[in-house]
Amino acid sequence: MLRKVLKWTGGIIGLLVAGLLIFYFTMHIKVKNKRDKIYDVEVRMFEIPSDSATVAAGAHIYATRGCADCHGADMTGKIFMDEGPIGTLSGTNLTRGKGSKVAEYTDRDWILALRHGIRKDGKSLLVMPSYEYYRMTDKDLGSLIAYLKAAPPADHETAPPRLGPLGTVLSALDKIPLIPAEKIDHAWRPGRPIPKGPTAEYGQYLSMSCTGCHQPNLKGGESPIPGGVYVRDITTAGNIGKWSEQEFIAVLRTGNTPDGRAIKNEDMPWQMTNKYSDEELTALYRYLKTL
Ligand code: HEC
Ligand code: HEC
């Protein structure tokens, strides 16, 4: 009797292990195919200026769009995710120093990375959120690229991306935005330029940087970062409905809410939003109030 039971349990465990291995292998192949896919896109070129006013405008964009969270305030790259089973990911060195991939970048390569999320070899960059940036105006994207090109070369090597078993499964199931090129409309073309100003229209333009976490409809949802806190609704259905403009600005500058919560920068990057100008925060508030 005992032998029979043992035989059965052994058999069931064996089947389970085999099932898991097949599942994992399928996920692994799926992710490998996504990573190896070659994207053939038409890169629309535009003028990248190099004057100092443009470079200064680019520095503001770099500081307010989250680039520093992954590539470092000094642009030389840093580890932004180090979770054993999920993986280890670093933003790369964006200066032309040692360890950088941009040393030989042409204007086309910069545009390919930021508008399409694609590397020089035609494959998608990994985890680089170009889907949040590709709809920037030519002027803003040009300023950002001008700033990157003007960075003094600094040496810093970052390790290549490592995806653990859990990271592989989550990527295959689209729970981690591993492949930005998949999330971009490569045929997108900029419309008329959006005038800067404290307007809802300009706020809508700026809110692109919020959609990666707060979702395209800004109603929030599960965190895109595995294990991250729930991302709140920032339409009028949430606290935006009751906060005054001054209260909203204070939250984005300090992380402290009128109801006494202290939001952590790791959850909601207020150290980034505190670099927005008053005009930009007013524009965001006016836009969110329309939702
Ligand atoms: C969530 C983290 C994250 C954010 C935010 C981010 N990047 Fe990246 N970026 C990456 C990673 C990771 C890579 C390398 C991807 C790879 O090697 O496949 C990368 C690659 C790049 C590249 C291609 C060069 C290279 O080394 O392959 C450029 C250019 C770039 N990022 C610029 C920016 C700029 C400018 C911003 C802000 C507008 C930004 N990134 C925001 C993570 C990020
Ligand atoms: C990296 C992800 C991320 C990005 C990018 C992000 N947020 Fe958030 N945000 C969060 C999370 C998570 C919370 C909830 C934090 C909490 O509950 O402690 C939050 C909370 C907020 C709150 C407070 C809401 C409340 O009811 O307490 C506001 C306001 C807000 N975000 C606005 C913005 C705006 C505007 C942008 C774009 C400029 C933005 N966020 C970009 C993740 C993000």
Side-chain angles (χ1 to χ4, degrees):
M1 180 62 195
L2 183 62
R3 272 174 72 177
K4 223 173 180 174
V5 171
L6 283 179
K7 215 168 135 192
W8 269 101
T9 345
I12 290 170
I13 293 177
L15 272 178
L16 279 176
V17 170
L20 267 176
L21 282 176
I22 292 172
F23 171 74
Y24 182 68
F25 184 69
T26 317
M27 297 289 119
H28 179 78
I29 296 293
K30 192 169 171 208
V31 171
K32 187 174 175 331
N33 289 341
K34 281 169 177 250
R35 288 176 70 158
D36 288 347
K37 177 170 174 186
I38 302 285
Y39 289 82
D40 182 15
V41 299
E42 189 198 326
V43 180
R44 191 182 53 84
M45 299 298 292
F46 56 90
E47 177 79 21
I48 314 282
S50 58
D51 59 282
S52 59
T54 302
V55 170
H60 181 69
I61 294 174
Y62 186 87
T64 52
R65 301 306 198 278
C67 315
D69 289 343
C70 296
H71 293 281
D74 67 356
M75 304 154 94
T76 62
K78 64 173 214 184
I79 295 177
F80 64 88
M81 165 131 171
D82 190 6
E83 308 276 349
I86 298 177
T88 310
L89 297 169
S90 311
T92 43
N93 186 346
L94 295 179
T95 78
R96 287 163 201 258
K98 217 182 276 158
S100 139
K101 298 198 192 78
V102 303
E104 310 288 325
Y105 258 36
T106 60
D107 286 354
R108 183 181 185 278
D109 299 330
W110 288 112
I111 299 174
L112 186 65
L114 290 159
R115 271 256 157 92
H116 300 278
I118 297 173
R119 221 181 280 147
K120 272 167 97 92
D121 64 4
K123 294 181 187 173
S124 179
L125 288 163
L126 298 184
V127 195
M128 157 70 190
S130 305
Y131 48 86
E132 279 184 30
Y133 310 133
Y134 77 98
R135 283 166 297 154
M136 272 192 216
T137 58
D138 287 356
K139 188 163 189 285
D140 282 353
L141 198 56
S143 308
L144 181 58
I145 295 173
Y147 173 66
L148 296 169
K149 284 169 72 174
D155 301 342
H156 184 221
E157 309 251 1
T158 52
R162 181 193 67 82
L163 212 56
L166 185 57
T168 302
V169 172
L170 291 174
S171 301
L173 300 176
D174 287 327
K175 299 288 178 200
I176 297 181
L178 182 74
I179 311 285
E182 276 179 356
K183 300 179 67 175
I184 290 175
D185 169 9
H186 297 285
W188 181 86
R189 294 289 176 267
R192 67 190 171 84
I194 293 122
K196 283 195 162 75
T199 59
E201 187 195 21
Y202 190 53
Q204 175 171 28
Y205 172 69
L206 293 173
S207 74
M208 269 190 286
S209 329
C210 323
T211 54
C213 295
H214 288 276
Q215 300 295 332
N217 62 7
L218 298 171
K219 294 190 80 61
E222 291 303 327
S223 171
I225 307 156
V229 306
Y230 190 84
V231 184
R232 288 181 183 245
D233 186 338
I234 53 170
T235 70
T236 50
N239 283 318
I240 305 298
K242 18 184 229 258
W243 290 345
S244 70
E245 185 177 326
Q246 285 325 308
E247 286 172 326
F248 171 80
I249 291 181
V251 172
L252 294 196
R253 286 258 157 84
T254 65
N256 296 319
T257 64
D259 47 314
R261 286 172 291 130
I263 298 178
K264 288 204 215 108
N265 183 61
E266 299 85 72
D267 299 331
M268 155 69 206
W270 58 265
Q271 284 172 17
M272 168 187 91
T273 50
N274 79 5
K275 298 189 183 72
Y276 279 70
S277 67
D278 285 343
E279 183 180 87
E280 288 169 329
L281 291 179
T282 301
L284 276 168
Y285 180 75
R286 294 199 174 149
Y287 172 58
L288 297 176
K289 278 298 219 187
T290 67
L291 301 178

